[in-house]
Amino acid sequence: GTPAGLNRFDGTRFIQPFTRSEAQHSLADQPVVSVKPDADGNIWFLTRAGLIKYSWRTGEVYQVPQLKADSLAQSGNGLLDIAPAPDGGLWLASARQLMVVHPDGRSATWDLPQRADGKPWQPSCLTFDAGGILWIGTNSGILFFDTKQQTFTELLPAGSREKLSNAHINCLFYDRDNSMWIGTGNGLNRFDPVDSRYETVLLAGKE
């Protein structure tokens, strides 16, 4: 996803797919904020024009209608990232809220908590781990949201954040070993869930 549309790399070259229908046209020239696969193999695209889904079964690309209950789409509270859940739900983060939309149309919204210093958490990215916990990267560390208890918790608060190369989180990814890879404003980190510690893999500007 780029500021000027979507690209796909096939192992040899880059191409710009999806240029025919209205939804495909949006992917061709709109800034693409996030690209995420779901458990069924579909791909979700978050663009400045809205949410678009690519169905791997049919090859159809279509714009997902905005929900009337979607307070995240209000002016000044635009969407920042999406995360398809293993159960089929779609999670969305904005500057102030977290929301889930279920396949049957049910939805729920939570206001993001404030930090210990009273300032708001500013989310940047979402990802799920193998246990179904939703992780939220922010401008000052990492939160996790227990989808069953519906509670927010800071990952290794207080004196632990300095172990990250930088507290500003740009992206999160869980690998097959259930380790979390963390892209920050100053490099790449890995969080080991067994030892509950960060490892700095690569610092910006260094080989």
Side-chain angles (χ1 to χ4, degrees), residues 91-157:
W91 292 77
L92 310 96
S94 75
R96 298 190 297 269
Q97 293 178 314
L98 180 68
M99 180 180 183
V100 61
V101 180
H102 297 285
D104 62 6
R106 291 180 299 113
S107 64
T109 305
W110 298 266
D111 290 332
L112 288 165
Q114 291 188 335
R115 298 179 345 209
D117 60 7
K119 296 180 179 179
W121 293 92
Q122 293 291 325
S124 55
C125 52
L126 302 173
T127 192
F128 276 95
D129 64 18
I133 296 293
L134 178 66
W135 297 84
I136 307 168
T138 78
N139 64 342
S140 53
I142 301 173
L143 295 171
F144 62 91
F145 182 74
D146 188 321
T147 57
K148 294 181 179 179
Q149 299 295 326
Q150 302 183 4
T151 55
F152 292 91
T153 305
E154 184 179 2
L155 176 63
L156 300 181

Side-chain angles (χ1 to χ4, degrees), residues 19-184:
T19 58
R20 294 184 298 277
S21 70
E22 181 178 349
Q24 292 171 343
H25 181 70
S26 294
L27 283 172
D29 58 15
Q30 289 288 332
V32 178
V33 179
S34 182
V35 181
K36 297 287 181 69
D38 64 23
D40 294 325
N42 306 306
I43 304 178
W44 296 81
F45 305 96
L46 178 62
T47 75
R48 294 302 183 196
L51 190 61
I52 296 172
K53 180 182 179 182
Y54 166 73
S55 171
W56 77 270
R57 293 182 184 275
T58 65
E60 182 183 6
V61 178
Y62 61 93
Q63 190 99 25
V64 179
Q66 284 188 341
L67 298 176
K68 294 181 179 180
D70 187 0
S71 61
L72 297 177
Q74 293 176 0
S75 177
N77 198 25
L79 296 176
L80 300 173
D81 200 13
I82 55 176
D87 64 2
L90 183 67
W91 292 77
L92 310 96
S94 75
R96 298 190 297 269
Q97 293 178 314
L98 180 68
M99 180 180 183
V100 61
V101 180
H102 297 285
D104 62 6
R106 291 180 299 113
S107 64
T109 305
W110 298 266
D111 290 332
L112 288 165
Q114 291 188 335
R115 298 179 345 209
D117 60 7
K119 296 180 179 179
W121 293 92
Q122 293 291 325
S124 55
C125 52
L126 302 173
T127 192
F128 276 95
D129 64 18
I133 296 293
L134 178 66
W135 297 84
I136 307 168
T138 78
N139 64 342
S140 53
I142 301 173
L143 295 171
F144 62 91
F145 182 74
D146 188 321
T147 57
K148 294 181 179 179
Q149 299 295 326
Q150 302 183 4
T151 55
F152 292 91
T153 305
E154 184 179 2
L155 176 63
L156 300 181
S160 301
R161 278 199 302 248
E162 70 268 19
K163 294 182 180 179
L164 280 167
S165 60
N166 188 285
H168 191 109
I169 311 302
N170 294 322
C171 54
L172 298 172
F173 174 76
Y174 258 89
D175 64 21
R176 294 179 179 178
D177 297 326
N178 210 31
S179 292
M180 180 165 59
W181 294 81
I182 307 160
T184 76

